[in-house]
Amino acid sequence: MSNEYGSQLIESVAVRRRRLREAWLFGVQRTRQTMDEGVTRMFAGAAIGALVCAGCVGWSFVDKQLAQQKQEEQQRNTPASVTSPSPSTGPTGPALPTIPGLTPQPTQPTR
């Protein structure tokens, strides 16, 4: 008989702890948790998603602003020099693209 009393006592303590834990987690209306819990989780997920999106947009904005500031600082720090024509432009405009393996043929001036 003592064995039955011990198992009953252990089971009643486990049930009491479970009820206390559920009361602490879900409050007085723990029977209404089915619908409310699903809706709450949906709104919480949407809020977390919105925060993640806002964080990505904010990070992109900050990154763009820092890159723009760095570029402006580099432009201010470069000395002003006399610009010479770049090697890619000729007397009549930009040079034609070259194809690897092909040697360009000299052009004859037109008369």
Side-chain angles (χ1 to χ4, degrees):
M1 185 153 169
S2 66
N3 190 19
E4 291 178 17
Y5 176 73
S7 63
Q8 286 178 350
L9 181 64
I10 291 173
E11 186 177 342
S12 68
V13 169
V15 168
R16 178 166 172 76
R17 286 183 180 172
R18 189 184 77 229
R19 286 181 181 168
L20 286 172
R21 183 176 54 242
E22 288 175 354
W24 182 73
L25 288 174
F26 302 115
V28 178
Q29 298 176 342
R30 64 177 182 255
T31 57
R32 289 189 55 200
Q33 69 185 348
T34 56
M35 171 85 174
D36 293 342
E37 187 175 316
V39 172
T40 304
R41 285 184 181 178
M42 183 183 70
F43 282 124
I48 290 171
L51 286 174
V52 169
C53 288
C56 289
V57 168
W59 180 260
S60 175
F61 176 75
V62 168
D63 189 40
K64 184 178 178 182
Q65 291 297 321
L66 290 175
Q68 187 178 10
Q69 286 177 356
K70 186 176 181 180
Q71 183 181 15
E72 289 173 358
E73 186 176 321
Q74 284 177 350
Q75 287 176 353
R76 274 188 256 134
N77 290 339
T78 55
S81 63
V82 177
T83 58
S84 60
S86 64
S88 65
T89 59
T92 60
L96 295 174
T98 58
I99 299 173
L102 266 163
T103 57
Q105 299 293 327
T107 58
Q108 305 240 344
T110 51
R111 295 182 197 184

